[in-house]
Amino acid sequence: MQIRPVIEFRGVGKRFAGIAANEDISFAVNQGAVHAVVGENGAGKTTLMNLLAGLYRPDAGNILVRGEPVDFHGPQAAHHAGIGMVHQHFMLVERFTILQNILLSCESSYGLLPQLQARQKVSAICRRLGLTLDLDATVETLPVGLRQRVEIVKLLYRGGDILIFDEPTAVLTPGETADLLELLRSMSQQGKTILYVSHKLSEVLAIADTVSVLRQGRLVGTVGAAETTQGQLVEMMIGRSLTPSAERQTVTAGPLLLALNAVHCRDGRRAKALQGLSLQIRGGEIYGVVGVSGNGQQELTGVVTGEIAPTGGAVKLAGDNIAGMSMPKVRNLGVGLIPEDRDRQGLVGALPVWENMLLGQLRLPQFCHRGILSGAACRNYVAEQVRRFGIRLASIDQPVCSLSGGNRQKVILARELGRQPRVLVASQPVRGLDIGAAEMVHAQMMAAREAGAAVLLISADLDEVLELADRVGVLYAGRIVREFRPGELSPVEIGHYMLGGGQAVKPQ
Ligand SMILES: Nc1ncnc2c1ncn2[C@@H]1O[C@H](COP(=O)(O)OP(=O)(O)O)[C@@H](O)[C@H]1O
Ligand SMILES: [Mg+2]
C-alpha cells in the first residue's frame, strides 16, 4: 500500500503582535497515521493546529490537504475538508442531551431530517468504535471522559476523517486516558488520520507513529516513534539534555509535622468539600495527593494554610492545633505555600521582585531593626536568593509580572523555601511551566524534603506525584480513600480509586 500524505505544512508561519508563534514549519502527515506534535508550553502547537482547523489563517506558507492547497476562512471550511478538532475546552451545551449536542454541529440535521435516521447514524458510529453512550443523557451529568467522547462522535458524525486532539489527556484520569488511547488506535485502524498534541512523552510514544517536535515556534524535526526515545524527544524539545536527577536520598522519617484528623469544611459554592479527611505527614516525607479536580483539593490547601476554617476536626502542626488560625499566623508557625494560582494568590504583579520575595517577612529582625527597614539587608538577601534559585531577570526592581511564568514560580519558591518551612504545601507546582523550570521546582521540593520538611504535594499530574512522593493519598469526595506507596498500585488501579471505587482507607 502506498502511503501518501493527507496533510502537508509547507513553510507555515503565524505571528501574533510581532511574536512568531509558528515560523517556517514544514512536515507531512500520512493518511491513517497517528502523528504527534510535541513541544514545551508556548512552542506553537495549538497555533499550528488552529491553522489547520481553520481558526486562524497562516500569514506565510501553505497548508495542503490531500495534495491541494487550502485557505480556510473559518472552522466550517475545515469541516468541509473533513478536518475537526477536539479542543482543550469542550464545546458542549450542558443542558442538551448527547444526541442534541451531536446534531447541533450539523446544520443539515435541523428541521425535517428525520431524527430517527440521525440517531441511527450516531449509534452506528458508536458501535463501530465500541463506545457505549446513552444518547439521551444530558451532558451535564457526564464525567469528563464521556464528554470528550461526545466531542469525538460529533466530529465523526460531521464526516471528519482528520481529527486533531489538543492535549486531550490533560483532563482525564489514568483509566480514561487508557480508554482514549485505545479509541485513537482503533480510529486510526479504521483509516482516520489523527493529530495528537501533547507534552506527555510516554503517551506520545505509546500511541504515535510519527512525532514532530516544535521549539519556539519552529520545527526541530520529525521522527518515527519507533526510532526515538523520551530522552531524545526531551532534548529536541528543550535544546539540551536534562541533568539526570540526583539520586533520591534516603531520608529517615522525622517527627510527625502535619496531621489532619477527620477534617470537615463547608464548600463555598462547590458540591464537594472536605468530609472527614485524615492524613499524616512526617518530616522528610513528600505526601502526594491525587484525585479528579473538584474533590476537595483546594479546600485541603485552604485548611492547612489557614485560608479556610474547618467546621470540624483538627489540623495539627507539630502537635499544635492550627485549625481556624489566620493565614499570616499559620505562615509564621512555619507553613509555606506554593499556590495553585501563582499570580493571584502568590504574587503581587505590580510590585517589584524584591518586595514579592519578602512579602510577609519585612518585619523579621533580619530585615527590620526597631521599625526601620534595612534596604541593604533586604537587597542582599533577595540578590542571594535570585542567584541560588537561578531566577532570570534584569533587576530586582522590575515588577514581578514582567518575568516569565517559570521565573515567577521561582520567586515564590525562593520566598517560601527561604523561610525554611516545617510544612510545605505545593499545589500544582509545575503546571504550565517549561521542562527546565519544572525540573528546578522539583529539585527544590526534594531539597526541602531532605532538609526535613513535611511536603504536601497536590497535583493533577499522576506521573509527577508518583515520581516525587514517598506516599500517596487518593482524594475522593473530600476524603483520602486510599493510601499507597508509588509502585504499589498500577495507574489503572489508582484511577479506579480516583473515581470512587473502593471505600475504606487502608489502615496506617
Ligand atoms: N491569540 C494569540 N494572541 C497572541 N499571542 C498568542 C496567541 N496564541 C498564541 N500566542 C503566542 O504564541 C506562542 C505559541 O502559543 P501556543 O501555540 O499556544 O503554544 P503551545 O500550544 O505549544 O503551548 C506563545 O508565545 C503564545 O503566547
Ligand atoms: Mg497549547
Side-chain angles (χ1 to χ4, degrees):
M1 190 180 85
Q2 205 207 336
I3 300 175
R4 63 186 174 89
V6 64
I7 295 162
E8 270 181 85
F9 296 98
R10 286 197 187 157
V12 168
K14 176 73 188 170
R15 303 181 83 82
F16 292 108
I19 293 169
N22 285 163
E23 197 165 355
D24 194 19
I25 293 180
S26 303
F27 65 88
V29 179
N30 289 328
Q31 169 85 47
V34 178
H35 193 119
V37 177
V38 304
E40 292 209 85
N41 282 298
K45 306 179 294 292
T46 297
T47 301
L48 188 67
M49 294 304 113
N50 282 339
L51 291 172
L52 180 59
L55 282 112
Y56 301 140
R57 292 169 73 190
D59 40 42
N62 283 307
I63 299 176
L64 282 71
V65 177
R66 299 179 196 87
E68 297 290 323
V70 293
D71 180 16
F72 298 140
H73 287 246
Q76 292 297 337
H79 292 161
H80 285 136
I83 299 170
M85 180 157 169
V86 173
H87 293 270
Q88 277 169 302
H89 304 286
F90 301 151
M91 302 186 173
L92 297 171
V93 184
E94 299 249 324
R95 295 287 166 120
F96 282 15
T97 66
I98 292 182
L99 188 64
Q100 285 166 336
N101 267 285
I102 292 169
L103 300 193
L104 251 191
S105 67
C106 238
E107 309 95 344
S108 60
S109 317
Y110 288 136
L112 296 176
L113 181 103
Q115 295 272 317
L116 190 64
Q117 218 176 318
R119 180 184 289 271
Q120 280 169 351
K121 186 172 163 196
V122 174
S123 302
I125 291 171
C126 292
R127 240 190 343 268
R128 251 199 323 276
L129 294 171
L131 296 179
T132 24
L133 283 179
D134 171 6
L135 298 183
D136 300 311
T138 46
V139 162
E140 61 190 348
T141 63
L142 303 178
V144 174
L146 286 185
R147 290 179 190 217
Q148 192 176 53
R149 289 182 181 190
V150 176
E151 290 280 17
I152 295 169
V153 174
K154 207 167 94 180
L155 296 185
L156 296 173
Y157 180 79
R158 239 170 13 204
D161 60 1
I162 298 168
L163 308 176
I164 307 169
F165 292 83
D166 192 0
E167 308 267 4
T169 62
V171 292
L172 300 183
T173 63
E176 289 172 330
T177 298
D179 290 348
L180 175 70
L181 297 184
E182 193 53 45
L183 179 59
L184 295 181
R185 236 174 247 126
S186 84
M187 289 195 296
S188 103
Q189 276 156 13
Q190 292 175 22
K192 306 284 178 196
T193 303
I194 291 169
L195 278 134
Y196 187 82
V197 173
S198 180
H199 60 258
K200 293 194 182 165
L201 297 179
S202 55
E203 280 167 18
V204 163
L205 288 179
I207 182 79
D209 302 299
T210 312
V211 188
S212 287
V213 183
L214 301 186
R215 183 167 79 231
Q216 292 172 3
R218 291 176 162 274
L219 181 79
V220 182
T222 297
V223 292
E227 285 94 53
T228 190
T229 62
Q230 283 201 38
Q232 279 169 8
L233 289 176
V234 167
E235 213 168 312
M236 290 169 82
M237 280 164 68
I238 70 175
R240 62 175 174 87
S241 53
L242 279 181
T243 35
S245 50
E247 190 88 350
R248 189 184 182 91
Q249 304 280 326
T250 320
V251 176
T252 3
L256 186 58
L257 288 182
L258 182 69
L260 279 75
N261 298 326
V263 172
H264 287 257
C265 82
R266 267 197 293 271
D267 45 2
R269 251 168 311 127
R270 292 161 158 263
K272 286 172 187 143
L274 303 184
Q275 304 180 50
L277 184 145
S278 299
L279 61 83
Q280 273 114 41
I281 316 178
R282 297 188 164 272
E285 200 179 30
I286 297 181
Y287 185 100
V289 172
V290 298
V292 177
S293 74
N295 275 281
Q297 284 89 340
Q298 292 185 357
E299 290 81 3
L300 170 58
T301 306
V303 297
V304 176
T305 58
E307 188 194 353
I308 297 174
T311 50
V315 180
K316 291 188 173 167
L317 176 65
D320 300 323
N321 197 355
I322 57 166
M325 280 187 189
S326 71
M327 278 186 95
K329 215 161 174 184
V330 170
R331 270 179 79 77
N332 284 333
L333 289 172
V335 176
L337 170 65
I338 304 175
E340 176 170 353
D341 185 343
R342 56 190 80 113
D343 294 316
R344 268 199 17 236
Q345 292 173 277
L347 297 169
V348 185
L351 289 182
V353 169
W354 75 265
E355 234 177 306
N356 272 284
M357 189 96 76
L358 293 172
L359 278 182
Q361 303 176 72
L362 287 174
R363 285 169 193 281
L364 295 179
Q366 124 189 55
F367 303 120
C368 182
H369 189 59
R370 292 194 181 141
I372 297 170
L373 200 62
S374 161
C378 292
R379 301 185 72 85
N380 287 342
Y381 171 80
V382 171
E384 171 62 26
Q385 292 294 83
V386 165
R387 210 173 47 246
R388 265 189 54 203
F389 284 79
I391 303 170
R392 282 218 299 266
L393 42 64
S395 148
I396 62 172
D397 294 312
Q398 79 189 84
V400 79
C401 62
S402 64
L403 303 185
S404 73
N407 282 300
R408 292 201 300 276
Q409 185 72 319
K410 288 183 193 173
V411 170
I412 296 178
L413 268 172
R415 178 182 69 219
E416 299 301 306
L417 294 176
R419 310 184 61 162
Q420 288 155 341
R422 290 192 280 179
V423 170
L424 178 69
V425 182
S427 181
Q428 319 292 354
V430 303
R431 178 183 279 172
L433 298 190
D434 282 352
I435 295 177
E439 183 192 17
M440 144 83 182
V441 169
H442 286 161
Q444 290 295 336
M445 288 171 57
M446 291 307 282
R449 165 186 181 266
E450 279 152 31
V455 180
L456 174 61
L457 165 64
I458 301 169
S459 173
D461 184 343
L462 184 59
D463 292 338
E464 177 186 19
V465 172
L466 294 179
E467 190 188 320
L468 291 180
D470 298 286
R471 280 191 303 135
V472 183
V474 181
L475 182 61
Y476 176 76
R479 284 184 313 129
I480 298 294
V481 293
R482 175 73 203 247
E483 286 183 341
F484 62 94
R485 289 181 189 278
E488 262 175 27
L489 297 182
S490 72
V492 171
E493 286 172 306
I494 298 167
H496 171 73
Y497 288 103
M498 284 166 67
L499 292 174
Q503 333 263 318
V505 186
K506 198 174 122 197
Q508 290 249 335

